[in-house]
Amino acid sequence: MADVTELRTSYGMSPVLAGFAGAGVLVVLLLAALALWSFCQRRYLRAQGRYKLRGDRYGDAEDPPYKFIHMLKGISIYPESLSGSKRIVRGAGRTQREGAPGMVLVDADNNVLDVPLQGARRGPERAPAPLRLPDAGESASPSPSTPASSASSSETEAAASAPIPVPVSSPPDLGSISLMVDYNFPKKALVVTVVGARGLPAMDEQGGSSDPYVKMTVLPEKKHRVKTRVLRKTLDPLFDETFTFYGVAYGSLPELTLHFLVLSFDRFARDDVIGEALVPLAGVDPGAGRVHLSRPIGKRNAQCESRGELLTSLSYQPVSHRLSVVVLKARHLPKMDVAGLSANPYVKVNVFYGRKRIAKKKTHVKKCTLNPVFNESFIYDIPPELLPDVSLEFLVVDFDRTAKNQVVGRLLLGSHGAPPSGAAHWREVCHNPRRQISKWHALAEY
């Protein structure tokens, strides 16, 4: 026993004290983890406090940023952070069978928040009624049995003897798009329903059909881009999809414009652009209820007379065999956006040897300007004996997140195929080595 006591004393601590020390360390670690979690939770709640809702009104004077909610086939999805009350979805009829189209959205106080597009009542032995898309400016046509439809023989002879008018080329018919616009006052939400389109052209020449879908943007900010699902092999698609944008003041509706871009999906290449339609909300008042609209689809990217100018600077160093190309700036670029907004230009520089492209580079994108300043240089290693067969291509491109980027204009510098100003600039660079030569050039259509 004395030996055991001496052994414990040599270690300096009894087992009981060691157990208490270990428990104390665990308690300290647990308290530190709890304090860290509490700090992170408090910081998150503080960041979310600006957009907290009290009942159906915003607690702060500042409106929350735009939020869109996508409704597909009568099913609404609302973020839980926008309201403390729980959402309840109930049927529009007495009983809701599986797959019934009518759905009414109410809150916990049984107040109707939003009523999606009501479909036809579907019975067990009855097929659903198809949704009819109204034509733009649709009017009733006279019956063929009316007296106006029958023409006399004298009128027929006069019409036959009249000169045949020369046909005037008209823009191609790209169909029309139908939509509904509504406003939810309690939630400060703009509700847009893309009903469908009709009369679309066939982008697939072999199949004689298209795979259409629609991209929608709220102008003038161009920040909120949404799109519908793709419908396969149809020229009269019925989307019936609703997009809800939160934080839109009712007084700002006349300043907004809805931009619809109709495209055809292509699995193996870039999607084909069918056309676009603009719907200004200046003459639309959705405060009294849903407004049904139909707009014709027009061709995208109308041609402009002037393409603007580009300032470039070139210099060739014969000792190091280096060609220095500087893209300085551009001016008077056209407004390629159909809404008349400023462009987001950048420049692509392609180097060709004969007809083969041997190098490509591009500048940074300059946001919302028609007179961009780039000041970006590119260096290329080119032997002197190959210089006469080299040409430079400058493409000024308008960057667009919604669809394919548009080429604003083109500039070609070189000895072969270049315009007179481009050929003269290239000859001056070749005949004056080690000298930086800058010139303005008018952009041509690509």
Side-chain angles (χ1 to χ4, degrees):
M1 180 64 67
D3 296 336
V4 175
T5 305
E6 292 176 0
L7 181 62
R8 292 176 179 175
T9 306
S10 63
Y11 282 98
M13 182 180 295
S14 65
V16 177
L17 294 178
F20 277 113
V25 171
L26 291 178
V27 170
V28 170
L29 293 177
L30 182 61
L31 291 177
L34 184 61
L36 181 61
W37 178 85
S38 177
F39 173 78
C40 296
Q41 188 72 9
R42 188 179 305 170
R43 187 174 182 181
Y44 174 77
L45 293 177
R46 188 182 305 165
Q48 297 293 331
R50 294 186 305 166
Y51 310 125
K52 185 178 180 182
L53 289 176
R54 298 177 183 174
D56 286 338
R57 300 178 181 273
Y58 287 99
D60 299 333
E62 182 181 0
D63 289 336
Y66 277 174
K67 294 176 180 288
F68 75 89
I69 303 302
H70 186 195
M71 179 188 302
L72 175 59
K73 294 184 179 179
I75 301 176
S76 300
I77 304 174
Y78 283 81
E80 294 296 333
S81 61
L82 290 178
S83 176
S85 59
K86 185 179 180 181
R87 272 13 182 228
I88 304 173
V89 180
R90 67 180 183 183
R94 293 182 179 178
T95 59
Q96 278 291 338
R97 295 184 177 89
E98 184 178 356
M103 303 294 288
V104 179
L105 187 68
V106 298
D107 58 9
D109 298 329
N110 207 23
N111 298 321
V112 177
L113 297 178
D114 189 13
V115 182
L117 179 64
Q118 300 293 337
R121 187 178 298 274
R122 186 180 305 176
E125 294 112 6
R126 187 176 179 183
L131 183 62
R132 182 177 180 273
L133 302 180
D135 290 329
E138 182 179 4
S139 60
S141 58
S143 174
S145 61
T146 56
S149 62
S150 59
S152 61
S153 59
S154 60
E155 293 176 352
T156 304
E157 294 176 358
S161 60
I164 300 176
V166 178
V168 181
S169 60
S170 58
D173 185 15
L174 301 178
S176 61
I177 185 172
S178 298
L179 62 139
M180 292 188 297
V181 181
D182 195 5
Y183 189 79
N184 193 327
F185 285 95
K187 300 302 176 186
K188 296 183 181 180
L190 174 65
V191 184
V192 181
T193 301
V194 181
V195 180
R198 64 181 307 173
L200 299 180
M203 305 306 293
D204 185 4
E205 299 179 355
Q206 297 180 356
S209 183
S210 298
D211 299 329
Y213 68 97
V214 178
K215 288 185 177 182
M216 189 187 73
T217 308
V218 180
L219 301 178
E221 283 139 353
K222 298 178 66 175
K223 294 181 180 179
H224 317 288
R225 299 177 175 89
V226 294
K227 66 179 180 179
T228 66
R229 67 193 188 280
V230 178
L231 296 183
R232 301 288 183 179
K233 297 182 180 180
T234 177
L235 300 180
D236 301 305
L238 295 178
F239 299 104
D240 190 14
E241 299 191 33
T242 300
F243 302 94
T244 305
F245 296 88
Y246 285 88
V248 181
Y250 182 75
S252 64
L253 290 183
E255 303 174 0
L256 303 180
T257 301
L258 303 180
H259 176 249
F260 298 91
L261 185 64
V262 185
L263 304 99
S264 179
F265 175 75
D266 193 339
R267 185 180 300 275
F268 304 103
R270 190 183 295 272
D271 295 348
D272 300 318
V273 178
I274 297 178
E276 62 184 353
L278 278 178
V279 182
L281 298 182
V284 180
D285 185 14
R290 288 189 173 181
V291 180
H292 296 253
L293 300 172
S294 181
R295 292 291 185 270
I297 300 174
K299 187 178 180 181
R300 192 171 189 261
N301 185 14
Q303 298 296 332
C304 307
E305 295 182 0
S306 176
R307 296 282 168 174
E309 296 177 304
L310 181 66
L311 177 61
T312 60
S313 178
L314 278 72
S315 175
Y316 184 72
Q317 303 293 332
V319 178
S320 59
H321 299 173
R322 288 188 174 184
L323 176 65
S324 173
V325 179
V326 183
V327 181
L328 294 173
K329 56 184 177 179
R331 64 186 180 186
H332 309 318
L333 297 180
K335 297 178 180 180
M336 303 299 292
D337 198 324
V338 67
L341 303 175
S342 297
N344 301 318
Y346 68 94
V347 180
K348 293 178 63 176
V349 183
N350 298 321
V351 181
F352 289 89
Y353 177 68
R355 295 185 178 181
K356 182 179 180 181
R357 186 175 65 179
I358 58 177
K360 61 177 181 179
K361 293 183 180 180
K362 64 180 180 180
T363 66
H364 292 83
V365 179
K366 301 299 178 180
K367 296 290 186 179
C368 300
T369 177
L370 299 178
N371 300 283
V373 178
F374 300 102
N375 282 337
E376 298 189 33
S377 61
F378 308 101
I379 305 290
Y380 303 97
D381 293 331
I382 300 177
E385 61 272 11
L386 301 182
L387 200 60
D389 296 327
V390 171
S391 59
L392 300 177
E393 181 187 46
F394 300 86
L395 297 178
V396 182
V397 186
D398 180 20
F399 177 75
D400 193 346
R401 293 183 182 272
T402 307
K404 182 181 179 181
N405 297 338
Q406 306 175 65
V407 178
V408 178
R410 176 176 181 261
L411 170 63
L412 185 63
L413 302 181
S415 302
H416 306 286
S421 61
H425 191 181
W426 186 255
R427 286 195 302 267
E428 190 173 354
V429 171
C430 296
H431 296 161
N432 297 274
R434 294 178 296 276
R435 179 183 173 187
Q436 201 79 23
I437 301 176
S438 305
K439 284 189 177 181
W440 284 98
H441 296 276
L443 296 174
E445 183 179 353
Y446 180 67

